[in-house]
Amino acid sequence: IEAQRVQGMATLLVVPTIAETEYWKHALADLAPLLLTGSLSGKRREEALLASVTHTGVIISTPSFSWTPVHALGAIVIERAGAGSYRAPKRPYLDMRVALKELAIARHIPLVYGDYPLPLEYRGTNILPEAAGRVVIIDTRREKADAKQEDQAPPWRAVPEEMRTHIAATIAAGGRVLALAVRKGYAPSVICRDCGTARTDEFGNVLTFTRESARGHVFRTVDGRIVEGANVLCALCGSWNLMPLGVGVERVEEELKQAFPDARIIRFEGDTVRTSAMARKALADTNEPGCIIVGTEAALPWLLALGISCNLAVLPSADSLLSLPFWRARERFVRLGLMMRGMSETLVLGTRLPDDAAVAAIAHPESTTFFDEERSLRTALGYPPFGTLLSIQAEATRTQLDILDSSIRATIGTHTYTVLPDRPLTRTQLRRSYVLKLSVWPDAELAARIRMLPPSVRVLVDPEAF
């Protein structure tokens, strides 16, 4: 940034969320950065867009504004390069990291990636410095007991007793605690204790267990399209003995309120916060001694933006992250753990996999064991950066999908692919996904055939999930 400023050129600093624009605005305040973000009002946004054309200092932008024309652009920096919000959620499904790379090549300017740690695609052989802060790993496995011992065993808790001891000591000292849950709601799924059947909607989608303000606990789909009362019986065997599985933010909050009734508990879900003013209002009471902030991963950028650090950070169920059906899940887990470690004096992490290399990487980031293992796995599987994953998805009725099927298979040609089971979306609509693992991409011939597919077919390159 300094080198470009001396030469009278602009540096485009692209950050994944509005929260990070706030952080970097204050961190680089002495350079008077220009902000390009959706949080600006209409008039201020128009003024900022006009000013960026001739700006010669630092421009801080979210991904959707990163292609604003800048005449004196001298360098591009992609901050927190591992964040998922660099891919557009709607058509065209652009990955702005790829687009910005092509922009840098076209304009013959340097491109810099930033993250801790960098995604495997951008990593060299450099070793991470040893992180500040202490890490405590709690083994949450329970020995298998006979029936009599099981009856006498204490009930399972989302926030284990050893973790509560750390929280109690921090609160007693007037410190601040951050408790992070990976998922929203009370529990990601509910199963029948008697027959093992998961609670699903009529299309086979697993329902989460959550709390609605007016209706108490309910089952709902991720998109909120289906909501039904929790006073139901198992659809298969009729049993009432249903058990929540997994740890959601509501369950963590509930247990902490019961365990620490006198503590100030602040629920903060960053994905519902749109502006700095909203974040400040939601976190107004964090200076109160002995407070506990309970939130999801989306809360972390806002805490950093507002300069809120914690004496203790706890991750009650690390396994919720490690078990996500994403091929980047373990790398994402390491990045989240190191982020929490950097925001606190002590990080306490609960897991049934204390010997996993990803868990060890949070305690010892200076070791390369995790990345060596991850590199070997991806090489063997042909996953990025050692191959390219291409997902071709069609959403239609079963009859329409069967008609599209021959066109999609003809488009794929001789490439090896896997067809995933049809996923019900509505009473009549299904999603069918074709996944290709390519050793060479771009492939001009394949790309030309893909462009001939109808607009209803969605094509994603290197998606995290299918």
Side-chain angles (χ1 to χ4, degrees), residues 2-3 13 26 108 125 139 166 289 320 327 375 383 403 444 460:
E2 180 60 25
L13 173 60
H26 295 296
H108 306 288
T125 56
D139 186 347
H166 286 275
S320 297
W327 55 271
R375 186 175 287 105
Y383 281 10
I403 294 172
L460 299 177

Side-chain angles (χ1 to χ4, degrees), residues 274-306:
R274 297 289 178 264
T275 65
S276 177
M278 293 174 66
R280 291 181 189 279
K281 182 178 179 181
L283 296 168
D285 296 330
T286 54
N287 289 327
E288 184 175 322
C291 77
I292 303 175
I293 305 169
V294 182
T296 55
E297 180 182 351
L300 299 185
W302 282 112
L303 295 175
L304 285 170
L306 300 180

